[in-house]
Amino acid sequence: MPYEMGEYYKRANDYDLEYQGQSEQDVPFWKELVMRYTPCHVLELACGSGRIGMELLKGPGDFLLDGLDIEPEMLKAYLRKVSQESPEIQQRVKLLEGDMCDYQLPSKGDYDLIFLPFNSICHLYELEQQLETFRNTWEHLAPNGHFVVDTFLPDIDYLSDALNRPSNVYLEDEIEDPDDEFTMLLYTSRKFDPYEQLQHIVWTHEKFFHESGENERYLTKLDMHVFFPRELQMLFLATGFSIDAIYGSYDWKPFGRGTRQIVVGRKPNV
């Protein structure tokens, strides 16, 4: 079946605006993770427009950071941000266009930390895609390197409301443009397919421009695979990883005491 993904990520500026508040939640976690593991070479899969990566580069450490993404518009936005930074930061980051299922990078076997943040694993819809990504990541890691995956913990009540039928459209967010040019309302409807474990999401974006009084409306669609805990853990174990830790939130609570499942896998030193 065809899956919806790319359209949602083609408006990088609107994406950054919608998720500006997310950085307050998860960026401190990733900064702390880097401080704990002190990596030399890091790879961020599905790096997007650099929401997380740029903050890591500005934080402690002098590690090299590679970012991989399949969407050219996101990488262009990331590159624009990098170009505004100091030469020291620019020299530490490399951006690559590619699919996390089958990427082959020159630094294969050299990365001591690879991470896949903020639900991006949910774009791996087929079992073979999931296994290929985990196997490929295992091959790109150095011995004792870590692979960290962050996604939401499924909410059964939330999913049941959208079981096999679209949920009611509701206002998810009201966002003010930092330059005060417009206000954007974000409406959402979801449908959950329990057999494919897929959320079919439709967002309606409505912008109201303050000076002209005009408005713009557009739709974006996104499909997300819903990972249940044992399923995600099994992907790590089936592809050769040991599981060092599982956290339930960005403030390092143990699994089951939060709304996240953040799994830390390790490639054994063999």
Side-chain angles (χ1 to χ4, degrees):
M1 64 176 295
Y3 299 106
E4 295 278 0
M5 184 183 69
E7 174 188 0
Y8 179 68
Y9 296 108
K10 293 188 183 299
R11 295 179 180 246
N13 289 339
D14 283 358
Y15 179 89
D16 283 347
L17 184 60
E18 291 169 29
Y19 290 102
Q20 56 186 336
Q22 177 64 27
S23 296
E24 299 176 6
Q25 300 179 45
D26 61 358
V27 165
F29 172 86
W30 296 112
K31 284 185 173 181
E32 174 67 22
L33 187 84
V34 168
M35 290 179 63
R36 292 187 183 191
Y37 290 146
T38 61
C40 295
H41 204 170
V42 179
L43 172 63
E44 179 182 4
L45 300 177
C47 65
S49 61
R51 180 182 67 80
I52 295 173
M54 289 303 304
E55 295 300 321
L56 295 184
L57 287 166
K58 297 174 187 177
D62 57 357
F63 54 87
L64 300 177
L65 175 64
D66 293 352
L68 180 88
D69 204 279
I70 199 171
E71 176 51 60
E73 293 304 317
M74 283 291 188
L75 290 173
K76 289 178 184 177
Y78 198 155
L79 187 59
R80 286 194 295 270
K81 296 173 186 176
V82 171
S83 68
Q84 298 172 5
E85 297 299 326
S86 67
E88 187 273 332
I89 286 183
Q90 293 181 28
Q91 292 167 8
R92 289 170 50 206
V93 61
K94 182 186 298 182
L95 302 180
L96 307 142
E97 183 178 341
D99 190 327
M100 56 183 161
C101 296
D102 59 10
Y103 64 95
Q104 295 294 317
L105 304 184
S107 298
K108 186 174 182 177
D110 181 54
Y111 296 104
D112 38 13
L113 174 63
I114 300 177
F115 68 103
L116 181 55
F118 192 47
N119 309 327
S120 294
I121 190 176
C122 298
H123 300 319
L124 300 175
Y125 304 111
E126 303 287 359
L127 181 58
E128 191 56 39
Q129 287 181 307
Q130 298 162 11
L131 289 169
E132 286 174 352
T133 297
F134 275 69
R135 290 170 182 149
N136 200 23
T137 299
W138 193 93
E139 292 176 357
H140 278 74
L141 277 170
N144 282 321
H146 290 90
F147 180 34
V148 185
V149 176
D150 162 41
T151 189
F152 59 86
L153 185 65
D155 183 329
I156 301 301
D157 291 335
Y158 178 78
L159 294 174
S160 66
D161 288 340
L163 188 62
N164 291 319
R165 57 178 176 77
S167 63
N168 293 327
V169 177
Y170 65 94
L171 178 63
E172 182 172 307
D173 207 354
E174 180 175 337
I175 305 165
E176 295 293 337
D177 172 51
D179 298 324
D180 199 32
E181 293 183 1
F182 61 84
T183 299
M184 182 163 63
L185 303 182
L186 186 63
Y187 298 90
T188 308
S189 178
R190 301 169 188 257
K191 177 181 177 182
F192 177 58
D193 179 344
Y195 303 104
E196 296 290 337
Q197 290 180 218
L198 278 178
Q199 280 195 90
H200 303 284
I201 307 169
V202 178
W203 278 286
T204 302
H205 309 250
E206 192 162 17
K207 290 182 177 179
F208 296 90
F209 293 89
H210 302 154
E211 186 172 333
S212 66
E214 296 178 352
N215 68 303
E216 175 191 4
R217 176 182 290 185
Y218 65 93
L219 298 178
T220 54
K221 297 180 180 180
L222 187 69
D223 291 337
M224 300 183 74
H225 182 86
V226 177
F227 282 90
F228 289 90
R230 293 294 178 88
E231 172 190 12
L232 180 55
Q233 295 164 35
M234 187 62 71
L235 278 172
F236 278 91
L237 298 177
T239 50
F241 290 95
S242 61
I243 296 177
D244 280 4
I246 308 176
Y247 302 105
S249 67
Y250 294 126
D251 54 2
W252 304 88
K253 290 180 181 177
F255 179 64
R257 296 186 183 178
T259 60
R260 311 298 300 176
Q261 43 182 335
I262 306 171
V263 185
V264 180
R266 182 174 55 83
K267 178 179 180 177
N269 186 9
V270 293

